[in-house]
Amino acid sequence: MPSKNFVLGIFGGGQLGKLLAIAAKRLKIKTCIYTNSIDSPAIYYSDDFIIGSYLDKKKLNIFIKKISIITFEFENIPFSILKNLEKNIPVFPKPEILKTLQNRISEKIFLNNIGVRTTEFKKLKRNKLKSLDNNFFPILAKTINLGYDGKGQTFFKNKSEIIKYKFPNDKYILEKIVNFTQEISVVIVAYKKKIFAYEPIENFHSEQILRQSISPARISRNINEKAKTIAIRIAKKLNYRGVMCVEYFLKKNGDLLVNEIAPRVHNSGHLTLDSYNISQFQSHIRSVCNLKFIQPKKIKNAIMKNALGKNIYKFRERKANNKEFFYDYGKMYVKDNRKLGHLTKVY
Ligand code: ADP
Ligand code: MG
């Protein structure tokens, strides 16, 4: 058990930070949130918070004086900042892991190097577009860093389309579109000496944003095992601590490709709040704070729907029954496609 003065520092104040802070409170662990926005629902659930830029050295110094270890709810914190903080205070997951995974190219190179298959990709070279193979299309161009919920992604049907497009710089990855039959994800939690994989979750996106997740995923036993085994292998290779999520594309012929890895709790894992005895949030807190391992057990099947943008109003008005759990994140601003809440039904 951490000492009385132990405080967990969390970078990011969105819904993931909020759900982490709530999980920590249940475990009697104090939290301090560091966020760059006043519209940060997590600050109402933490014991303390700081609002400042992620580059503000003075405020970061105040932050580290308040806390015992650091974790984060999103992966786009500058590596140099985390690496610097790590001189004084442990950071989980390790900054080096974040560095590899926050860059879509180094992430895929790492995966391919350990024998894990990904989508086919190339780095954008604006002056070499004409030499691209026609068979490489259709593709998605994605910003190498800083993308989420489909932000920074552009679709190109063929070569003539991309040749006409004005990219502002070369910091893009070109990814061949995968003709998948299903998208699945596996949330794992890595303690010091133990790794556990939650059951694969099936995910439905539209406009590159997650809309719905279901557990169990409707996949064969063989794919189920394979997805869990790959995720655990990745975590072992990274020497990971905390919760991590691996997103996959499953093809008709059974090929399982990794789309991307999130070094944090994940939207698809929200359904673990109501369908497992130990949610992804509890698992993350337990593992990074070095508490005793508790094996999560699935207690229900579940379906989770995201409440995006103005849809939140409909969710708020719905009458819920005792098999439905509605989470209103409490964000100030309603914007199109912004994740504002979710509803989980168990069965
Ligand atoms: P983000 O970081 O925004 O989650 P992703 O790379 O996971 O970015 O893309 C979001 C979604 O867009 C995916 O879950 C999938 O539905 C779709 N997508 C992304 N890349 C591809 C691809 N190469 N082929 C087919 N669909 C894709
Ligand atoms: Mg994704």
Side-chain angles (χ1 to χ4, degrees), residues 1-2 6 8 10 15-29 31 69 71 187-191 196 198 241-244 264-266 269-297 299 327:
M1 199 66 204
F6 181 91
L8 170 66
I10 302 174
Q15 66 273 20
L16 303 179
K18 167 175 165 177
L19 294 165
L20 283 170
I22 294 172
K25 191 154 271 180
R26 295 218 172 108
L27 293 166
K28 300 199 165 48
I29 288 174
T31 52
I69 67 165
T71 190
V187 172
I188 67 98
V189 54
Y191 286 66
F196 171 82
Y198 285 82
R241 262 291 277 294
V243 162
M244 176 184 101
R264 53 170 170 80
V265 287
H266 191 262
H270 288 3
L271 52 73
T272 61
L273 280 165
D274 305 297
S275 58
Y276 278 80
N277 63 338
I278 307 281
S279 71
Q280 63 166 351
F281 303 100
Q282 288 261 338
S283 280
H284 186 70
I285 302 290
R286 296 191 76 86
S287 56
V288 300
C289 297
N290 207 13
L291 303 189
K292 200 177 96 218
F293 170 74
I294 299 186
Q295 170 129 347
K297 284 201 188 73
I299 44 179
Y327 296 80

Side-chain angles (χ1 to χ4, degrees), residues 75 104 108 119-120 138-140 142 146-151 153 175-180 183 203-210 247-249 259-260 264 266 339:
E75 56 262 58
R104 291 187 194 272
K108 285 190 173 58
T119 54
E120 256 183 73
I139 62 162
L140 266 177
K142 305 180 183 177
L146 301 175
Y148 71 97
D149 290 345
K151 288 193 172 58
Q153 302 194 7
E175 269 185 46
K176 192 175 172 70
I177 288 285
V178 179
N179 197 359
F180 57 78
E183 285 193 79
N203 300 315
F204 301 87
H205 293 77
S206 98
E207 298 167 68
Q208 287 111 297
I209 303 175
L210 182 68
E247 297 178 11
Y248 298 94
F249 295 131
N259 168 29
E260 63 170 351
R264 53 170 170 80
H266 191 262
K339 288 173 177 167

Side-chain angles (χ1 to χ4, degrees), residues 42-284:
I43 62 179
Y44 303 104
Y45 297 84
S46 61
D47 298 273
D48 198 356
F49 64 89
I50 294 175
I51 297 177
S53 146
Y54 294 116
L55 304 171
D56 187 331
K57 292 215 166 91
K58 259 195 195 153
K59 285 194 175 161
L60 288 169
N61 257 329
I62 301 172
F63 184 49
I64 60 166
K65 291 208 175 89
K66 288 172 180 278
I67 60 178
S68 320
I69 67 165
I70 301 182
T71 190
F72 40 83
E73 64 141 25
F74 73 111
E75 56 262 58
N76 291 321
I77 307 146
F79 167 72
S80 57
I81 296 289
L82 279 184
K83 194 67 201 156
N84 219 7
L85 294 173
E86 201 189 26
K87 287 181 192 150
N88 298 301
I89 209 160
V91 179
F92 295 118
K94 289 269 180 205
E96 279 76 14
I97 298 178
L98 198 75
K99 190 180 180 198
T100 305
L101 301 185
Q102 70 188 181
N103 175 308
R104 291 187 194 272
I105 292 183
S106 59
E107 177 181 46
K108 285 190 173 58
I109 291 174
F110 156 72
L111 288 167
N112 295 163
N113 282 344
I114 61 163
V116 173
R117 295 181 63 193
T118 61
T119 54
E120 256 183 73
F121 70 97
K122 288 184 184 3
K123 187 177 179 305
L124 171 70
K125 291 193 181 113
R126 282 174 297 172
N127 56 4
K128 297 234 170 86
L129 287 175
K130 286 197 179 127
S131 61
L132 285 171
D133 192 333
N134 284 316
N135 291 327
F136 185 49
F137 290 86
I139 62 162
L140 266 177
K142 305 180 183 177
T143 49
I144 294 175
N145 301 94
L146 301 175
Y148 71 97
D149 290 345
K151 288 193 172 58
Q153 302 194 7
T154 314
F155 175 77
F156 296 99
K157 205 164 57 192
N158 53 39
K159 199 156 111 178
S160 57
E161 265 187 22
I162 201 169
I163 287 172
K164 281 186 238 143
Y165 192 79
K166 295 265 175 292
F167 287 97
N169 53 51
D170 273 356
K171 294 180 190 160
Y172 288 80
I173 179 174
L174 309 179
E175 269 185 46
K176 192 175 172 70
I177 288 285
V178 179
N179 197 359
F180 57 78
T181 50
Q182 282 163 296
E183 285 193 79
I184 60 173
S185 57
V186 173
V187 172
I188 67 98
V189 54
Y191 286 66
K192 239 182 187 167
K193 290 189 181 147
K194 191 130 188 131
I195 303 184
F196 171 82
Y198 285 82
E199 285 303 308
I201 297 160
E202 185 173 351
N203 300 315
F204 301 87
H205 293 77
S206 98
E207 298 167 68
Q208 287 111 297
I209 303 175
L210 182 68
R211 308 289 160 143
Q212 200 165 305
S213 294
I214 60 175
S215 165
R218 297 160 307 165
I219 51 178
S220 68
R221 217 189 168 86
N222 177 28
I223 296 293
N224 175 309
E225 283 304 322
K226 202 169 153 189
K228 289 192 286 194
T229 306
I230 293 172
I232 289 174
R233 205 167 104 85
I234 295 170
K236 278 190 182 151
K237 289 278 178 193
L238 289 168
N239 206 1
Y240 200 84
R241 262 291 277 294
V243 162
M244 176 184 101
C245 179
V246 182
E247 297 178 11
Y248 298 94
F249 295 131
L250 176 61
K251 291 177 48 172
K252 202 173 177 186
N253 63 5
D255 280 357
L256 197 56
L257 307 178
V258 170
N259 168 29
E260 63 170 351
I261 302 171
R264 53 170 170 80
V265 287
H266 191 262
N267 192 170
S268 65
H270 288 3
L271 52 73
T272 61
L273 280 165
D274 305 297
S275 58
Y276 278 80
N277 63 338
I278 307 281
S279 71
Q280 63 166 351
F281 303 100
Q282 288 261 338
S283 280
H284 186 70

